[in-house]
Amino acid sequence: MCGIVGYTGPRDAGPILLEGLRHLEYRGYDSAGIALVADDGELFVEKRAGKLANLRSALNGRTPHAGIGLAHTRWATHGRPDDRNAHPHVDCSGAITVVHNGIIENFRELRDGLVARGHVLVSETDTEALAHLVEEAYAGDLAAAVRSALGAAHGAYAIAVMHRAEPDRLVGSRMNVPLVVGIGEGETFLASDVAAILEHTNRVIFLEEGDLADLRPWGVTVTGPDGGPRERPVSRIDWTPEAAEKGGYAHFMLKEIHEQPQALRQCISGRVRRDGRIRVEELGPVAPRLAALSRVELVACGTAYHASLVGAAALQAWTGLPARATVGSEFRYSPPPLDPTTLVIAVSQSGETADTIAPTRYAREQGCPIVAVTNTVGSAITREAEAVLFLQAGPEIAVAASKTFTTQVATLVMLAAAIARERGSLGVEEETALGRSLLALPAAAQRALDLSVGVAGMAGRYAGSRGFMFVGRGTTFPTALEGALKLKEISYVHAEGYPAGELKHGPISLLDADCPLVAVATRSTVYDKLISNVMEGRARDARVIAVASEGDEQIGRFADDVVLVPDTHEILGAVLAIVPLQLFAYGVALARGTDVDQPRNLAKSVTVE
Ligand code: F6R
């Protein structure tokens, strides 16, 4: 998704902004640009389609010296990803510059009005209209003009604006798209993401919906849409910029796959006691409403949806309540009947996914108790929920999720156990058995990594396949979906995730020597049934790759390649079984030479519908 970075202060803004953009590259983008008000008062703008390197070479290593500027990475929503549509955008007078993340829904109407009033708009973007609206409203006070312009705009936005006539002032505002203010020593920053400014300051203000931030080098004032002051706390972020770097790994994704033991440790610590008792204190605000629940709805997208399938199974098994997971974009327009006895659990690593936030907000309006599960402090989803559980997985930079999947599964399982215990439907013995498996999970994940050392190499042998069929049954089915998604995302090879029993109802016709079957065959109550389905595929010449539990002595008879993972509590199986499949996807991507960390057409955080 788009990225914003802005600076006002005594240092040279150009290099700070370009470095900020580099830290935002992971978000996925198709063009980049920078605007500076140079020390001589001239506005300097450069923007280029493609990667940041294109912008850098257009700049030829030089930007005019300036104490203020804005920069942007764009992920196209309106208009092609070309130089003209890249941000920043400028008004007719060449004085006002705007960068924007999100979508202005009524931009056609706004553009038509502006053109009718004599403005010349040169791009196809919704953002450019904002620059001209600010121009119309400007009467010497940039903050007042931005507030007035935003009054006419509907949609989702995080914007940053500067005016050549006020060369130490940046104005930012947000609605349904994240924007943070960084407070330095005699300098301030605006950013879509703390990663962009973390090397300069770890003191940030997470702006809230409708906030307008007026930044000067010496400080920031936050006001609401009515112009009234808003008190916003300054948070200290303990992620170092180094934590967001690749370490010794070739790709962020590989680093993050290997960080899973540590991420799981952080995720579980404080929630499972040494004796195996599970305590999820964050559940406190909804605890009084748990006894009256009639069912549970989980809402999420992509990888978070796959983790939610595990969460729904755990909840249903332990509470006896109907529980199901639904993809956010489906839930949004065909919502199930919701009432105050329906618990809604919204799962989103970024906490900013529009397709997850909208149904969550709708459920809140229906009076449902809401629990959010996210990795991102200060994210939009946290404001929709009464209770929030953070994954504590640390920053995930690669577009394809890895450690946030495994920590989502662990968090949802702990949440399910805590809810069932509160309702009196989970016995102490069951709880502590689960708790002990959770405590053992970080070491088990490390063992899964150790057992998977050969997987990337093995993947190379399969990389030329036409497609892949991933199958699982019961608790292993979500892992099949997630394994297929990982492969599709980063290697661009077609892969399907299917419940193994469904193979014979259609997809078995795809299987042949060029379409391997990947079976998630870890220990489960339906292991034997799954093996029968695998045999059906094998009979069609499909090569079989199996992920199985250590100690499974017969799996070698049914598979061409076997990767073992440690045994664990059945409901936690996905946490370990996905590890070799993440590495398999990585290996196929490497062999095919794709962009592992920033796969084409994808963005890390999808803040548009
Ligand atoms: C998969 C992936 C996406 C996200 C989905 C939801 O690797 O990254 O499928 O899982 O876009 O994102 P969040 O969890 O941020 O809501």
Side-chain angles (χ1 to χ4, degrees):
M1 201 59 30
C2 305
I4 290 177
V5 53
Y7 173 80
T8 177
R11 291 192 284 157
D12 188 13
I16 294 174
L17 296 178
L18 289 171
E19 191 53 17
L21 290 188
R22 194 182 67 73
H23 289 298
L24 291 178
E25 279 189 298
Y26 70 90
R27 294 168 68 99
Y29 64 101
D30 49 46
S31 54
I34 185 168
L36 302 160
V37 177
D39 293 347
D40 62 5
E42 286 302 309
L43 179 67
F44 171 87
V45 179
E46 190 64 75
K47 47 195 195 171
R48 282 289 183 270
K51 294 286 183 192
L52 200 47
N54 296 4
L55 176 66
R56 282 188 184 275
S57 62
L59 292 168
N60 202 13
R62 288 224 300 274
T63 48
H65 197 277
I68 185 165
L70 295 172
H72 190 261
T73 47
R74 174 172 187 253
W75 188 74
T77 56
H78 289 93
R80 277 158 295 154
D82 58 17
D83 290 357
R84 203 166 40 102
N85 288 330
H87 300 206
H89 290 282
V90 179
D91 71 322
C92 298
S93 69
I96 294 160
T97 320
V98 176
V99 294
H100 162 225
N101 293 357
I103 290 181
I104 302 299
E105 283 165 4
N106 59 335
F107 90 104
R108 281 197 183 80
E109 181 191 317
L110 294 174
R111 278 181 77 99
D112 292 348
L114 286 161
V115 170
R117 296 195 293 280
H119 291 265
V120 179
L121 279 77
V122 297
S123 77
E124 303 163 308
T125 66
D126 49 346
T127 306
E128 194 184 2
L130 290 175
H132 294 269
L133 287 174
V134 176
E135 175 190 358
E136 282 190 339
Y138 189 74
D141 178 348
L142 185 60
V146 171
R147 180 173 296 110
S148 159
L150 289 175
H154 308 147
Y157 55 78
I159 61 164
V161 190
M162 64 181 183
H163 195 300
R164 211 170 65 179
E166 301 185 64
D168 60 358
R169 190 178 196 186
L170 280 184
V171 174
S173 185
R174 68 160 283 175
M175 184 63 79
N176 294 318
V177 177
L179 191 64
V180 297
V181 173
I183 316 281
E185 296 297 327
E187 57 188 7
T188 52
F189 304 81
L190 259 182
S192 49
D193 189 314
V194 286
I197 54 176
L198 214 52
E199 74 181 79
H200 305 291
T201 182
N202 67 351
R203 296 169 60 225
V204 302
I205 296 172
F206 293 103
L207 295 178
E208 298 190 10
E209 305 304 4
D211 280 357
L212 185 141
D214 191 353
L215 283 75
R216 309 278 189 162
W218 57 87
V220 57
T221 320
V222 181
T223 49
D226 57 357
R230 296 285 184 275
E231 287 298 319
R232 299 292 179 231
V234 177
S235 310
R236 275 183 196 275
I237 301 298
D238 54 13
W239 294 353
T240 61
E242 291 71 28
E245 297 296 337
K246 283 186 208 149
Y249 293 96
H251 295 95
F252 282 116
M253 185 181 177
L254 190 60
K255 170 173 175 269
E256 288 155 8
I257 291 171
H258 283 86
E259 279 172 355
Q260 290 179 111
Q262 176 60 17
L264 286 162
R265 203 164 284 122
Q266 284 167 203
C267 173
I268 290 158
S269 80
R271 291 172 174 148
V272 183
R273 291 191 334 208
R274 275 164 188 236
D275 59 3
R277 301 303 297 271
I278 297 168
R279 293 278 173 274
V280 180
E281 283 175 6
E282 303 95 310
L283 207 50
V286 294
R289 302 181 69 180
L290 296 177
L293 293 182
S294 61
R295 63 208 173 85
V296 186
E297 298 280 349
L298 291 96
V299 61
C301 302
T303 287
Y305 166 69
H306 300 154
S308 298
L309 290 170
V310 179
L315 276 155
Q316 192 158 289
W318 298 332
T319 63
L321 295 171
R324 67 173 169 179
T326 308
V327 165
S329 52
E330 290 298 315
F331 192 108
R332 183 171 187 176
Y333 295 108
S334 332
L338 297 170
D339 66 32
T341 68
T342 311
L343 175 67
V344 172
I345 302 174
V347 186
S348 169
Q349 72 79 21
S350 64
E352 301 291 348
T353 299
D355 283 335
T356 303
I357 291 168
T360 307
R361 191 168 292 158
Y362 171 78
R364 183 163 58 88
E365 285 158 11
Q366 308 312 305
C368 302
I370 312 278
V371 176
V373 174
T374 182
N375 197 33
T376 316
V377 180
S379 60
I381 204 93
T382 62
R383 287 187 285 281
E384 302 299 331
E386 284 150 275
V388 182
L389 275 70
F390 291 107
L391 303 180
Q392 328 241 43
E396 187 174 72
I397 306 297
V399 167
S402 56
K403 61 179 177 172
T404 55
F405 172 72
T406 43
T407 50
Q408 275 165 351
V409 171
T411 305
L412 287 167
V413 166
M414 292 187 284
L415 175 62
I419 291 172
R421 207 213 28 242
E422 280 288 316
R423 289 174 51 87
S425 56
L426 186 72
V428 175
E429 238 168 76
E430 245 183 309
E431 179 191 339
T432 50
L434 174 67
R436 279 193 287 271
S437 298
L438 281 158
L439 291 173
L441 207 51
Q446 185 55 55
R447 175 139 182 87
L449 284 165
D450 297 344
L451 288 167
S452 296
V453 278
V455 169
M458 181 250 282
R461 286 191 277 114
Y462 288 91
S465 303
R466 183 183 79 247
F468 290 81
M469 184 69 66
F470 285 67
V471 291
R473 266 188 101 131
T475 48
T476 73
F477 171 53
T479 312
L481 288 176
E482 177 61 8
L485 179 64
K486 287 289 89 79
L487 187 62
K488 280 186 271 216
E489 283 182 298
I490 65 168
S491 75
Y492 317 154
V493 181
H494 183 68
E496 300 229 26
Y498 250 91
E502 276 289 293
L503 269 184
K504 58 186 173 298
H505 296 294
I508 199 164
S509 65
L510 290 171
L511 296 182
D512 59 20
D514 209 16
C515 181
L517 193 60
V518 182
V520 187
T522 46
R523 189 181 58 77
S524 85
T525 45
V526 284
Y527 173 86
D528 292 337
K529 305 252 173 235
L530 176 87
I531 293 299
S532 311
N533 301 138
V534 170
M535 293 311 289
E536 288 156 15
R538 219 171 176 214
R540 270 81 189 171
D541 287 341
R543 287 175 292 168
V544 175
I545 302 163
V547 177
S549 300
E550 272 189 296
D552 182 338
E553 297 197 336
Q554 47 168 337
I555 191 71
R557 289 194 279 130
F558 311 118
D560 298 271
D561 280 291
V562 175
V563 191
L564 296 174
V565 293
D567 196 14
T568 181
H569 193 293
E570 185 176 344
I571 201 74
L572 293 169
V575 173
L576 304 180
I578 196 61
V579 170
L581 297 182
Q582 293 165 339
L583 289 165
F584 185 78
Y586 180 78
V588 174
L590 273 195
R592 294 174 66 94
T594 53
D595 187 342
V596 171
D597 283 336
Q598 291 176 45
R600 67 185 182 199
N601 305 339
L602 296 180
K604 183 65 182 165
S605 138
V606 186
T607 52
V608 293
E609 203 185 331

